[in-house]
Amino acid sequence: MFDKNNVKKYLKTSYLGQIIKYYPELDSTNNEALALITKNALNGTVVITDNQTKGRGRQSNKWLSTPSKNLTFSIILYPNSPLNQINYYSMLAGLAITDCLMEHNITAQLKWPNDVFINGKKVGGILCESKIRGEEIKSMVIGIGLNVNVQTDALTKVLHNATSLFIESGTTFQREKLLANILNHLENRLQNTDNINPQLKEWEMRCAHLNQAVTFHSDNNFIHGIFKGLSPTGQAKMLIDDKNVYFDSGELFN
Ligand code: BTN
């Protein structure tokens, strides 16, 4: 069972994860986090479960997770930041996850907008959901799913292009320590949203498909082009017929 008291041993943050709400079972940690926002949960509160029964992914996909083997959690933030910074949160979460994996000698890549890959297989995903008022982001839930200790059979029976940290490294990870490390990195990265360019460049350096031919699925169209990185607001920049075209949302294939 996940032990939230164990997270504190490794946590170096001032607000992220200072309050952790652990549930043995939940439909979706993002749903619970959104509900807690209506009850004025504190900035940085983390919602985590050992058994997420209706995990949600982007584009109405499901997020499947084996009980007690993985990390499924959501972080509550009240950014009060300009709307044009909305894409930063998933980029910074992807960077924080890969920072943490690097500390464990695992090299992971990012796929726009917010998938984490190891050796061409998906190990993690991020689902950000926000409430906007006017031109301001009032609240933000960053939901993270990371396949940690799940073994080959349990995972690949259901998901063909998925992997876990255990499968890639042969090592069992302490989930509490991983969570703390992700939060430590994320808090650092969130401090620098006003000078975002260096972090967007880092994201591009960790991207699995920079300067590669990709297909973009957006608004029922399949568009072919070269992925050229991020715009200053974190949109996908694609070179299509010698012109830069920017995308806010969509699914990317390579
Ligand atoms: C994706 O790859 O499409 C994003 C997956 C995000 C899954 C996480 S697990 C914790 C949080 N709660 C959810 O219901 N979804 C996110």
Side-chain angles (χ1 to χ4, degrees):
M1 197 179 88
F2 188 87
D3 179 2
K4 69 175 187 177
N5 294 319
N6 224 347
V7 179
K8 299 261 150 77
K9 280 196 228 160
Y10 305 102
L11 207 58
K12 297 182 199 139
T13 59
S14 65
Y15 68 98
L16 276 195
Q18 289 301 323
I19 294 177
I20 297 179
K21 293 192 174 282
Y22 167 78
Y23 304 76
E25 184 174 303
L26 269 183
D27 59 349
S28 152
T29 56
N30 266 37
N31 290 354
E32 182 63 18
L34 290 166
L36 287 172
I37 285 173
T38 66
K39 296 176 191 154
N40 301 322
L42 286 182
N43 193 34
T45 299
V46 169
V47 176
I48 185 158
T49 185
D50 258 324
N51 186 15
Q52 183 169 256
T53 54
K54 282 193 183 150
R56 296 188 285 109
R58 290 179 61 248
Q59 317 265 341
S60 312
N61 289 327
K62 288 182 188 156
W63 183 262
L64 300 173
S65 188
T66 312
S68 302
K69 294 282 184 189
N70 299 323
L71 281 174
T72 46
F73 65 100
S74 302
I75 302 159
I76 295 173
L77 298 175
Y78 301 99
N80 292 325
S81 56
L83 190 52
N84 64 8
Q85 298 189 354
I86 194 146
N87 294 326
Y88 294 174
Y89 296 87
S90 58
M91 305 287 142
L92 296 179
L95 282 168
I97 295 168
T98 48
D99 289 338
C100 164
L101 297 183
M102 270 187 232
E103 273 178 20
H104 291 89
N105 297 318
I106 294 179
T107 305
Q109 293 82 38
L110 297 166
K111 180 183 151 197
W112 193 90
N114 45 22
D115 290 340
V116 185
F117 275 69
I118 301 176
N119 294 326
K121 294 192 167 187
K122 184 158 166 171
V123 70
I126 301 159
L127 177 67
C128 289
E129 297 182 293
S130 52
K131 292 210 173 87
I132 312 294
R133 196 182 306 143
E135 285 296 300
E136 210 171 59
I137 310 165
K138 297 311 288 181
S139 61
M140 168 70 66
V141 170
I142 304 178
I144 296 179
L146 188 65
N147 299 331
V148 181
N149 292 325
V150 66
Q151 301 195 0
T152 320
D153 276 2
L155 192 71
T156 49
K157 262 185 202 154
V158 273
L159 295 170
H160 299 295
N161 198 32
T163 194
S164 72
L165 301 184
F166 177 84
I167 293 169
E168 295 303 320
S169 65
T171 310
T172 303
F173 288 83
Q174 195 187 348
R175 291 178 300 150
E176 292 84 351
K177 187 174 177 187
L178 277 184
L179 173 66
N181 283 344
I182 293 171
L183 297 174
N184 292 340
H185 285 290
L186 185 59
E187 186 169 297
N188 264 335
R189 289 190 171 277
L190 285 166
Q191 271 160 9
N192 292 313
T193 46
D194 288 331
N195 176 25
I196 199 74
N197 271 350
Q199 304 210 71
L200 295 183
K201 289 285 162 242
E202 271 184 279
W203 191 97
E204 289 175 346
M205 296 313 293
R206 295 183 195 179
C207 168
H209 47 80
L210 187 68
N211 294 320
Q212 287 183 16
V214 294
T215 302
F216 209 86
H217 185 204
S218 181
D219 296 331
N220 283 330
N221 292 315
F222 286 92
I223 304 145
H224 305 285
I226 311 282
F227 185 87
K228 296 303 289 181
L230 302 172
S231 77
T233 58
Q235 299 158 300
K237 181 161 89 177
M238 296 266 287
L239 187 67
I240 300 169
D241 297 333
D242 290 329
K243 283 197 193 99
N244 283 330
V245 183
Y246 297 90
F247 292 92
D248 273 309
S249 62
E251 189 79 9
L252 195 145
F253 304 91
N254 54 347

